[in-house]
């Protein structure tokens, strides 16, 4: 009998081959794919995020856990598509114009994927109009902008502005993060959200997307 | 009579100096460099085979190609010639213009062991290999340490520096990037080789690491470190660190780059005053910005004025020295 907790435990340990094996086994035993995703993979990444937040895990542990997550996702993704199981939401992610520092952005991407979001990583040094364009094309619910430098974080304001000009404000939320950022700065530039670290970014993304859904429902 | 160098040495030894040393104002130390190209100023390869790309918005070049793509490449990947006669030439040229009675001479060692490792192997690879390929990581870091060791020895023997400045960014905002466990497993043994060379020759050791470094301060002290830079106030509990380690370790930096970059002269004055009150008691503090940066001129002027006033720098030693690089921002 497939043990979903074992999937989660091996994901936490970063044991990608074992996760692959166990996910396959669970599918063979006709465990619902959504259950494998939520109670195996996502449950595991949730623990990884909490450990990272508590300084029990560091970047190396995050990287190997995310790799294990990816291995599991590769197996179940075709079935998720086939069964039309929607992700938590679509997020376009990149670093601010001029900023080349992507460790923080990558960690946020891993955590969001690990929480069941579809992440479209558009890389480093991304111009505001490129963020908006990607959000349009991919029908994203959320744009995430990351910056390490005080000189580049200022372009985040232009992402918010460009989104307004495209008539997408309210429909696509903007979340910002990175070492020099604060909630105050997010308020100042009218970004929808700020998260101080990768694990909190997941909670913030969920909160913002819930707001989008509520708005749509009216 | 007290002069900037003697005053600084007192502070480094955690004894009460006459004023708070501030190298950019009192010239109490000067930094000299070796000849290896650790980072290019234009697009191209450094002396280790890492490619750098130019970006005007990133403060110069940044690394975009990491040559060691497989762990098997670690063992025989060619490293720069550290026996070249030119290695200490730039340092020797600079020394001729420095008054060594009044200024302590620091030799800069270049990128640190962790930095050079990820520059060569890529950050993701290096951090993943810490779990998957520990032997390759140890070999890579040891090979880098051998080069760094020769740089240290030659700066001491040929230039006669009074101290070596090691730079390596280990810290993230809230924790060490690789974690204290991997720092101790991989980096510490190699860093110890570099510190031992300094201790053997009786020169001071300065270590730079951006970000949060608190957990490994006891290790650094045990290894013989004299000065820790920059103690970024956003990432470290300054009062706690001073109270726990202030008897054994001097601190350099601690004035927030964010304040210097984005704030007002009044706030800068307040911060300088605050850092002196937190760190300078009983010696052990060298006043400086926590990062080099093209700060607005009016802000630098405020920093300087506050350093003179609250650091009580005597009139005869109020010179103007360029803001010396504590780190290059990549």
């Amino acid at each position: 009998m497939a043990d979903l907790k074992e999937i989660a435990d091996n994901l936490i340990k970063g044991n990608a081959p074992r996760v692959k094996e166990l996910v396959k086994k669970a599918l063979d035993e006709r465990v619902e794919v959504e259950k494998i995703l939520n109670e195996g993979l996502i449950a595991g990444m949730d623990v990884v995020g909490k450990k990272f937040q508590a300084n029990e895990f560091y970047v190396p542990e995050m990287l190997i856990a995310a790799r294990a997550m990816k291995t599991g996702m590769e197996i179940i993704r075709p079935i998720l598509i086939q069964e039309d199981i929607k992700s938590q939401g679509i997020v376009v992610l990149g670093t601010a114009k001029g900023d080349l520092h992507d460790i923080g952005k990558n960690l946020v991407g891993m955590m969001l994927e690990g929480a069941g979001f579809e992440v479209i990583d558009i890389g480093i040094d991304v111009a505001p109009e490129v963020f908006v364009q990607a959000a349009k094309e991919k029908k994203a619910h959320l744009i995430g902008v990351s910056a390490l430098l005080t000189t580049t974080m200022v372009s985040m304001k232009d992402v918010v502005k460009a989104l307004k000009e495209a008539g997408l404000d309210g429909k696509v939320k903007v979340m910002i993060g990175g070492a020099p950022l604060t909630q105050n700065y997010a308020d100042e530039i009218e970004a929808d959200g700020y998260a101080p670290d990768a694990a909190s970014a997941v909670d913030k993304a969920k909160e913002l997307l819930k707001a989008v859904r509520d708005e749509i429902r009216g | 009579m007290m002069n900037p160098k003697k005053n600084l040495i007192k502070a480094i030894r955690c004894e009460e100096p006459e004023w708070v040393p501030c190298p950019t104002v009192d010239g109490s130390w000067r930094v000299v460099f070796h000849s290896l190209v650790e980072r290019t100023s234009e697009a191209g390869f450094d002396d280790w085979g890492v490619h750098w790309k130019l970006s005007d918005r990133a403060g110069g070049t940044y690394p975009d190609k990491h040559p060691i793509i497989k762990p098997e490449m670690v063992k025989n990947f060619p490293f720069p010639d550290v026996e070249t006669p030119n290695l200490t030439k730039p340092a020797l040229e600079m020394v001729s213009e420095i008054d060594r009675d009044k200024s302590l001479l620091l030799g800069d060692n270049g990128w640190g062991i962790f930095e050079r490792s990820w520059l060569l192997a890529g950050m993701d690879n290096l951090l993943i290999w810490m779990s998957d390929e520990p032997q390759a990581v140890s070999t890579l870091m040891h090979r880098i340490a051998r080069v760094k060791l020769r740089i240290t020895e030659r700066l001491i023997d040929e230039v006669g520096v009074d101290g070596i400045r090691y730079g390596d960014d280990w810290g993230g905002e809230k924790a060490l990037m690789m974690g204290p466990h991997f720092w101790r497993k991989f980096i510490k043994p190699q860093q110890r080789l570099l510190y031992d060379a300094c201790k053997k020759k009786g020169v001071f050791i300065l270590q730079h690491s951006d970000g949060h470094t608190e957990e490994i301060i006891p290790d650094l002290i045990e290894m013989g470190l004299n000065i820790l830079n920059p103690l970024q106030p956003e990432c470290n509990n300054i009062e706690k660190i001073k109270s726990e380690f202030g008897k054994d370790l001097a601190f350099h930096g601690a004035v927030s780059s964010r304040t210097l970059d984005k704030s007002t002269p009044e706030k800068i004055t307040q911060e300088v005053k605050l850092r002196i009150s937190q760190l300078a008691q009983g010696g052990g503090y060298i006043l400086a910005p926590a990062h080099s940066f093209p700060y607005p001129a009016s802000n630098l002027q405020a920093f300087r004025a506050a350093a003179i006033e609250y650091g009580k720098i005597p009139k005869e030693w109020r010179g103007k020295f360029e803001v010396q690089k504590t780190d290059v921002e990549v």
Side-chain angles (χ1 to χ4, degrees), chain A residues 53 55 58-61 63-64 67 97-98 100-101 103 106 124 149-152 155 178-180 196-197, chain B residues 55 57-58 62 123-124 127-128 131-132 173-182 258 261-262 293 329-330:
Chain A
Q53 234 169 354
N55 283 352
Y58 298 87
V59 185
E61 289 82 13
L63 287 173
I64 58 168
R67 183 175 61 180
K97 178 81 195 142
L100 313 164
H101 301 83
I103 301 175
N106 296 346
I124 54 172
L149 307 179
T150 49
T151 46
T152 56
S155 81
D197 59 70
Chain B
S55 161
R57 297 186 66 162
Y62 71 99
M123 184 69 92
D124 285 7
L127 293 175
I128 284 176
S131 303
D132 287 0
E173 263 191 291
K174 296 193 306 182
L176 290 181
M177 276 187 269
M178 73 298 295
H181 59 312
F182 280 148
R258 284 177 208 172
D261 183 31
K262 294 281 175 216
F293 204 86
E329 200 160 336
V330 171

Side-chain angles (χ1 to χ4, degrees), chain B residues 71-301:
Chain B
E72 302 82 67
M73 291 170 71
V74 160
K75 210 172 156 197
N76 297 315
F77 190 82
F79 274 5
D81 174 18
V82 78
E83 300 305 333
T84 166
N86 285 336
L87 188 84
T88 50
K89 208 172 141 197
L92 288 166
E93 277 165 10
M94 287 175 80
V95 164
S96 58
E97 288 159 25
I98 294 171
D99 182 347
R100 299 207 48 189
D101 288 336
K102 298 195 180 86
S103 299
L104 194 88
L105 196 65
L106 288 183
D108 183 79
N109 192 281
W111 293 121
I113 288 166
F114 176 65
E115 286 167 337
R116 185 43 77 185
S117 297
W118 72 253
L119 283 169
L120 285 165
M123 184 69 92
D124 285 7
N125 269 349
L126 182 75
L127 293 175
I128 284 176
W129 292 350
M130 285 182 175
S131 303
D132 287 0
E133 303 279 351
Q135 189 52 53
V137 174
S138 291
T139 304
L140 178 62
M141 290 192 174
H142 183 65
R143 288 195 62 206
I144 293 166
R146 300 293 306 172
V147 174
K148 296 280 154 185
L149 182 66
R150 279 301 288 150
I151 293 174
T152 288
E153 288 171 348
R154 291 189 61 185
L155 284 169
I156 296 171
D157 295 343
E158 294 167 31
V159 185
V161 297
D162 306 301
I164 294 287
R165 184 171 78 183
Y166 294 114
D168 212 357
D169 285 341
W170 300 321
E173 263 191 291
K174 296 193 306 182
L176 290 181
M177 276 187 269
M178 73 298 295
H181 59 312
F182 280 148
W183 184 86
R184 291 193 179 104
K185 179 172 177 175
F186 295 112
I187 298 166
K188 185 178 179 181
Q190 309 307 332
Q191 203 65 42
R192 188 192 289 284
L193 293 177
L194 302 183
Y195 285 13
D196 281 350
C198 292
K199 284 198 298 184
K200 207 166 105 191
K201 307 260 185 185
V203 308
F204 292 116
I205 309 166
L206 181 146
Q207 178 70 53
H208 162 90
S209 168
D210 277 346
H212 179 96
T213 46
E214 190 177 324
E215 284 77 15
I216 54 167
I217 291 178
D219 301 72
L220 296 169
I221 292 172
E222 174 251 316
M223 289 155 68
L225 182 65
N226 302 108
I227 310 157
L228 182 64
N229 161 278
L231 214 63
Q232 276 182 286
E234 297 87 356
C235 316
N236 295 286
N237 184 338
I238 288 185
E239 281 176 335
K240 179 169 175 264
I241 290 176
K242 177 71 177 177
S243 85
E244 280 179 28
F245 308 112
K247 281 191 197 69
D248 304 306
L249 190 60
F251 302 100
H252 169 233
V255 178
S256 167
S257 313
R258 284 177 208 172
T259 311
L260 282 164
D261 183 31
K262 294 281 175 216
S263 186
T264 58
E266 293 73 41
K267 290 228 166 90
I268 292 165
T269 307
Q270 279 170 21
E271 179 157 344
V272 169
K273 204 174 152 186
L274 173 71
R275 298 308 170 210
I276 288 176
S277 75
Q278 289 173 324
L279 287 164
Q281 212 162 31
Y285 182 44
I286 302 152
L287 179 63
H291 209 294
S292 60
F293 204 86
Y295 301 115
S298 55
N299 287 0
L300 273 182
Q301 188 48 43

Side-chain angles (χ1 to χ4, degrees), chain A residues 31-144:
Chain A
V31 179
E32 278 173 60
V33 70
E34 232 176 327
K35 248 184 128 162
I36 301 175
L37 176 66
N38 291 326
E39 293 170 34
L41 301 174
I42 292 179
M45 269 316 263
D46 190 46
V47 174
V48 172
K50 291 203 171 87
K51 282 182 181 279
F52 186 69
Q53 234 169 354
N55 283 352
E56 285 172 44
F57 270 14
Y58 298 87
V59 185
E61 289 82 13
M62 277 276 265
L63 287 173
I64 58 168
R67 183 175 61 180
M69 172 91 194
K70 217 166 216 155
T71 314
M73 281 303 288
E74 273 162 20
I75 301 167
I76 62 168
R77 186 171 291 121
I79 305 160
L80 289 171
I81 294 169
Q82 206 182 327
E83 296 188 5
D84 201 26
I85 295 167
K86 293 264 183 295
S87 70
Q88 284 280 330
I90 301 170
V91 186
V92 164
L93 199 62
T95 73
K97 178 81 195 142
D99 211 306
L100 313 164
H101 301 83
D102 62 356
I103 301 175
K105 173 202 62 127
N106 296 346
L107 293 176
V108 171
M110 286 171 213
M111 286 309 299
L112 286 171
E113 263 174 353
F117 287 85
E118 183 181 343
V119 175
I120 294 140
D121 187 339
I122 53 172
I124 54 172
D125 187 14
V126 179
E129 57 277 15
V130 177
F131 273 111
V132 175
Q133 189 57 34
K136 256 192 216 165
E137 275 170 22
K138 304 289 180 184
K139 298 192 171 54
H141 307 98
L142 181 68
I143 292 175

Side-chain angles (χ1 to χ4, degrees), chain B residues 39-69:
Chain B
R39 177 188 190 180
T40 59
S41 52
E42 300 288 326
F45 290 95
D46 66 23
D47 279 352
W48 300 70
V50 174
H51 189 266
W52 296 73
K53 191 175 163 184
L54 188 63
S55 161
D56 52 351
R57 297 186 66 162
T61 52
Y62 71 99
D64 71 333
K65 279 189 199 102
H66 311 287
I68 298 183
I69 52 170

